[in-house]
Amino acid sequence: MANIKEVALKAGVSTSTVSRALSGKIFVDPETKKKVLQAVRELNYQPNALAKGLKEGRTKTLGLIIPNLHNLLFPAAIRGITDIAKKHGYTVVLCNTDEDLETEQLYVENLRMRSVDGLIFSTATAASSHIVKLKEEGYPVVLMLRHLNEKLDSIIIDNFQGAYRATRFLIDRGYRRIAIINGTLGLDLYRQRFLGYQAALADAGLALDETLVVYDTAGWEDGYQAMLDLWERGGQPDAVVATSDPKALGVIKAVKERKLRVPEDIAVIGYDNLDMSELMDPPLTTMAQPFYEVGTKAAERVIKLINGKGKLKPVIEKLEVKLLVRGSVGYGKAFHGD
Amino acid sequence: MANIKEVALKAGVSTSTVSRALSGKIFVDPETKKKVLQAVRELNYQPNALAKGLKEGRTKTLGLIIPNLHNLLFPAAIRGITDIAKKHGYTVVLCNTDEDLETEQLYVENLRMRSVDGLIFSTATAASSHIVKLKEEGYPVVLMLRHLNEKLDSIIIDNFQGAYRATRFLIDRGYRRIAIINGTLGLDLYRQRFLGYQAALADAGLALDETLVVYDTAGWEDGYQAMLDLWERGGQPDAVVATSDPKALGVIKAVKERKLRVPEDIAVIGYDNLDMSELMDPPLTTMAQPFYEVGTKAAERVIKLINGKGKLKPVIEKLEVKLLVRGSVGYGKAFHGD
DNA sequence: CTGAAAGCGCTTACAG
DNA sequence: CTGAAAGCGCTTACAG
């Protein structure tokens, strides 16, 4: 590939002039500029971004660290990020950690070495002292979806409210034995959802029944198994709050296999609003999360940090979830009209 | 961040020695090495990858261009790529084009400027002369999944065979009016699937009935609509080959809504084997594609090209699909035992 | 308005 | 075994 020297030679000017003609930041004689652009075209010249980055001390690149590409919520957030990044002239480098802390640290080092200008994390673990350290060094960092820390800018979803509203909706519809099939309490988002569930029960004067609580599930297979466990324990739920759509679908499968009906015998509400959830049989009632918006906000925030040289105070932004009512929830025995 | 000069100063050696002590390629006195490593640790030094890349003429980075992150097949392929990349010390830069050719060209330019060592494409369009041009310049390029071109290394799936076997399976099970709900013929993969479908019919002595063919569908909504269209036209299918799982699920939804049963009234076979397909009601019979393996092979190939300086002849590798028989296909009227 | 020169942070022949 | 120097390809004060 041609370099700036060859362009300068062909255009009969100095490399400084080529650089200026291309950057547009400093005035260059129109005639000279024309010659330069002509040479650029003939040689198919493209400036070397490594050299440019080395000189300028920035690369116009954002690093994005994601725990699991298979989790259907990330693609939407990623799209939000890349859309904003593109608008501001940034490229996004995506790293998938497979929920592994060591891999995450490796990628962080790698991205730092590559002089990535800012980092967006959806981190696997709560602790992650290496992230806080990055921030302390003045490195622009934004947390997304998974966890929050008062020292770090975070774009998250109001998980407490989401679970509260889901549970409250079931109560209002007349359900009383409401089970929750939750994820790991190692993640703040699942702790918040559990708290929301508890608060909704408490506000309605219902006692928390531990036989109706399942922890540490992930994926539809776990949802299916969790439902079997609930029956095994004699939990007798008339409704289930699943903390993800796949888990909700696993629950529905279990209910159908037992020859029970959704929602007549057991109502099910999910969390995520995946593409597929609407086409299910019955269509899944769920809490829709604004993933795309999370992505755009995270990208906007990290770009702001980059431009502000990290002197801004951390901002924690919580986005609302939306209840989508579909066929998987009906009316329970305690329902007496609105 | 500390640079090599500060490390050299602290360790009381030259920058050359620091570089050598860290690279390990040239022998350095163990005592000296110890001093260097000590200084590195104290300063938390990490070599600047831009400077290194600029000097060495390579960046140990692979570019990956994907048309659509929402398409559930890509995450599996991406994981295959990143796993191999990691093993060889490469980082992967992911770009999502949203099926837009202009965006694709922009990313290609960008990745080239960044001195990415090799590129893996799953390209939106068949033409893409900019890709062929890259190859002609000696740039390591591998095509994946979407399209092939004799001049370019490609890792693809045997789509002809896949559709042939799906159709053949339905015929063997006694179905005779087999519809196909296909994607755009602009993509080679859908052309191949259509040809496989036709060949299976022809081999069984069945005529191709155009009222049973729907083109240009994508996503479950289209599958749903396509099924309505088939009935509208009076196609009267007893089985449907859908060229993706989401489309198959849309078909099943339409069948159920018409109060018909799958597979008793209409059998359905999909293509992809998404995570969710097994939990559907009924579980979806489908052609499983080895996406992870496609990813690993593509990454291995591009790394081989990088090391071979592009002097290798293009290799086109076709991987087999696997028929997974589940509840959505039963036995048709023409079935007379095995 | 333009050029010569310095420098970003590395690596690596070239000497010794 | 180690150091001084050149150079990767840019950008940008500094002169003029």
Side-chain angles (χ1 to χ4, degrees):
Chain A
M1 265 186 55
N3 62 25
I4 199 170
K5 249 180 176 165
E6 302 174 47
V7 174
L9 197 71
K10 176 153 237 155
V13 297
S14 72
T15 58
S16 325
T17 300
V18 174
S19 180
R20 290 184 194 115
L22 258 32
S23 84
K25 280 183 282 190
I26 285 178
F27 196 86
V28 174
D29 182 281
E31 278 304 308
T32 316
K33 194 167 191 170
K34 204 185 282 177
K35 282 190 296 181
V36 171
L37 295 181
Q38 178 62 24
V40 164
R41 219 170 302 117
E42 284 175 27
L43 294 169
N44 190 22
Y45 168 70
Q46 287 183 292
N48 181 313
L50 299 180
K52 192 174 153 95
L54 182 58
K55 190 72 182 79
E56 295 186 331
R58 68 190 166 86
T59 55
K60 285 283 196 175
T61 308
L62 302 179
L64 173 54
I65 293 185
I66 291 291
N68 185 355
L69 268 179
H70 273 90
N71 191 328
L72 296 164
L73 50 88
F74 288 113
I78 293 171
R79 194 178 283 202
I81 291 170
T82 51
D83 281 356
I84 295 300
K86 200 174 164 188
K87 211 167 78 183
H88 292 265
Y90 284 82
T91 303
V92 175
V93 180
L94 179 68
C95 302
N96 180 19
T97 66
D98 270 327
E99 308 277 4
D100 180 58
L101 185 60
E102 207 172 316
T103 307
E104 181 174 307
Q105 283 169 327
L106 228 113
Y107 276 131
V108 170
E109 264 181 44
N110 192 283
L111 292 173
R112 239 183 106 183
M113 284 195 328
R114 284 165 200 271
S115 310
V116 156
D117 296 336
L119 236 32
I120 298 173
F121 276 91
S122 193
T123 184
T125 57
S128 299
S129 62
H130 59 290
I131 301 179
V132 178
K133 211 176 290 171
L134 273 181
K135 179 66 182 182
E136 281 165 0
E137 288 174 22
Y139 207 91
V141 173
V142 172
L143 255 40
M144 180 178 87
L145 288 171
R146 280 295 186 96
H147 186 64
L148 84 173
N149 178 311
E150 317 72 49
K151 293 178 197 156
L152 298 174
D153 290 78
S154 311
I155 314 291
I156 56 170
I157 282 174
D158 193 337
N159 288 294
F160 179 90
Q161 267 300 319
Y164 184 96
R165 288 181 54 201
T167 310
R168 179 58 188 260
F169 174 65
L170 292 172
I171 295 168
D172 288 348
R173 281 291 186 96
Y175 297 99
R176 288 297 174 266
R177 294 199 53 77
I178 301 170
I180 183 167
I181 296 181
N182 202 2
T184 168
L185 294 186
L187 286 178
D188 187 62
L189 74 97
Y190 291 119
R191 283 199 297 277
Q192 292 299 323
R193 289 183 197 175
F194 189 49
L195 292 173
Y197 163 80
Q198 288 182 293
L201 292 181
D203 285 358
L206 296 173
L208 175 73
D209 179 348
E210 279 287 347
T211 64
L212 291 175
V213 180
V214 183
Y215 301 97
D216 266 328
T217 61
W220 70 261
E221 293 91 340
D222 282 2
Y224 176 85
Q225 187 57 48
M227 197 61 216
L228 301 186
D229 292 350
L230 281 171
W231 282 318
E232 179 102 356
R233 301 182 195 169
Q236 303 277 26
D238 61 3
V240 174
V241 174
T243 56
S244 79
D245 279 6
K247 282 182 262 185
L249 300 179
V251 168
I252 291 177
K253 184 185 177 71
V255 171
K256 283 185 180 176
E257 280 184 12
R258 207 181 164 108
K259 304 290 177 208
L260 296 173
R261 293 158 306 161
V262 176
E264 291 82 355
D265 299 307
I266 295 188
V268 179
I269 188 165
Y271 212 108
D272 283 349
N273 190 32
L274 301 184
D275 281 354
M276 299 273 178
S277 300
E278 195 184 342
L279 82 76
M280 293 299 145
D281 177 25
L284 188 64
T285 296
T286 191
M287 304 307 297
Q289 304 187 69
F291 295 125
Y292 180 86
E293 200 186 346
V294 167
T296 57
K297 299 236 175 196
E300 278 162 2
R301 188 70 199 162
V302 80
I303 290 170
K304 198 170 282 176
L305 286 179
I306 291 166
N307 295 332
K309 310 263 178 200
K311 280 171 206 148
L312 305 164
K313 280 212 182 96
V315 172
I316 290 169
E317 195 161 354
K318 267 192 200 179
L319 304 184
E320 292 296 310
V321 299
K322 216 170 106 187
L323 171 66
L324 296 182
V325 180
R326 302 200 190 104
S328 69
V329 175
Y331 296 90
K333 290 193 187 125
F335 185 75
H336 300 295
D338 288 301
Chain B
M1 265 187 56
N3 62 24
I4 197 170
K5 248 180 174 164
E6 302 174 47
V7 175
L9 198 72
K10 177 153 236 154
V13 297
S14 72
T15 58
S16 325
T17 300
V18 173
S19 180
R20 289 185 194 114
L22 256 34
S23 83
K25 280 182 283 189
I26 285 177
F27 196 86
V28 174
D29 182 282
E31 277 306 306
T32 317
K33 194 166 190 169
K34 205 185 280 177
K35 280 191 298 182
V36 171
L37 295 181
Q38 178 61 24
V40 163
R41 219 169 303 118
E42 283 175 28
L43 295 169
N44 190 21
Y45 169 68
Q46 287 182 293
N48 180 312
L50 299 180
K52 192 174 154 96
L54 182 58
K55 189 72 181 84
E56 295 186 332
R58 69 190 168 84
T59 53
K60 285 284 197 173
T61 308
L62 302 179
L64 173 54
I65 295 186
I66 292 290
N68 186 354
L69 268 178
H70 274 89
N71 191 329
L72 296 165
L73 50 88
F74 288 113
I78 293 171
R79 194 178 283 204
I81 291 170
T82 50
D83 280 357
I84 296 297
K86 200 174 165 189
K87 210 166 80 182
H88 291 265
Y90 284 83
T91 303
V92 175
V93 179
L94 179 69
C95 302
N96 181 19
T97 67
D98 271 327
E99 308 277 4
D100 180 57
L101 185 59
E102 208 171 315
T103 308
E104 181 175 307
Q105 284 169 326
L106 228 113
Y107 276 131
V108 170
E109 263 181 44
N110 192 284
L111 292 173
R112 240 183 104 184
M113 285 194 329
R114 283 166 199 270
S115 308
V116 157
D117 296 336
L119 235 34
I120 299 173
F121 276 92
S122 193
T123 184
T125 57
S128 300
S129 63
H130 58 289
I131 300 179
V132 179
K133 210 176 291 172
L134 273 182
K135 179 66 182 182
E136 282 164 0
E137 288 174 21
Y139 207 91
V141 173
V142 171
L143 255 41
M144 181 178 87
L145 287 173
R146 279 293 187 97
H147 186 64
L148 87 172
N149 178 312
E150 317 71 49
K151 292 178 196 156
L152 298 175
D153 291 79
S154 310
I155 314 290
I156 56 170
I157 282 174
D158 193 337
N159 288 293
F160 178 91
Q161 266 299 321
Y164 184 94
R165 287 181 55 200
T167 310
R168 179 59 188 261
F169 174 66
L170 292 172
I171 295 169
D172 289 348
R173 280 290 186 96
Y175 297 100
R176 287 298 174 265
R177 293 199 53 76
I178 301 169
I180 183 167
I181 295 180
N182 203 3
T184 169
L185 294 187
L187 285 179
D188 187 62
L189 74 97
Y190 291 119
R191 284 200 297 276
Q192 292 299 325
R193 288 183 197 176
F194 189 50
L195 292 173
Y197 164 79
Q198 288 182 293
L201 292 180
D203 286 357
L206 296 173
L208 176 73
D209 180 348
E210 279 286 347
T211 63
L212 292 175
V213 180
V214 183
Y215 301 98
D216 266 328
T217 60
W220 70 261
E221 292 91 341
D222 282 2
Y224 176 85
Q225 187 56 47
M227 197 60 216
L228 301 185
D229 292 350
L230 281 170
W231 283 318
E232 179 101 356
R233 300 183 194 169
Q236 303 277 25
D238 59 4
V240 175
V241 174
T243 56
S244 79
D245 279 5
K247 282 183 262 186
L249 300 178
V251 167
I252 291 175
K253 184 185 177 69
V255 171
K256 283 184 180 177
E257 282 185 11
R258 207 182 165 105
K259 304 291 176 207
L260 295 173
R261 292 158 306 161
V262 177
E264 291 81 355
D265 299 306
I266 294 188
V268 179
I269 187 166
Y271 210 110
D272 284 349
N273 190 33
L274 301 184
D275 280 355
M276 300 272 178
S277 300
E278 195 183 343
L279 83 76
M280 292 300 145
D281 177 24
L284 189 64
T285 297
T286 191
M287 305 305 299
Q289 303 189 69
F291 295 125
Y292 181 86
E293 200 187 345
V294 166
T296 59
K297 300 236 175 196
E300 277 161 4
R301 187 72 200 159
V302 81
I303 290 170
K304 199 171 281 177
L305 287 178
I306 291 167
N307 294 332
K309 311 263 179 199
K311 282 170 204 148
L312 305 164
K313 281 213 181 95
V315 172
I316 290 169
E317 195 161 354
K318 268 192 199 178
L319 304 183
E320 292 296 310
V321 299
K322 217 169 106 187
L323 171 65
L324 297 181
V325 180
R326 302 199 190 106
S328 69
V329 175
Y331 296 90
K333 289 192 187 127
F335 185 74
H336 299 296
D338 290 301

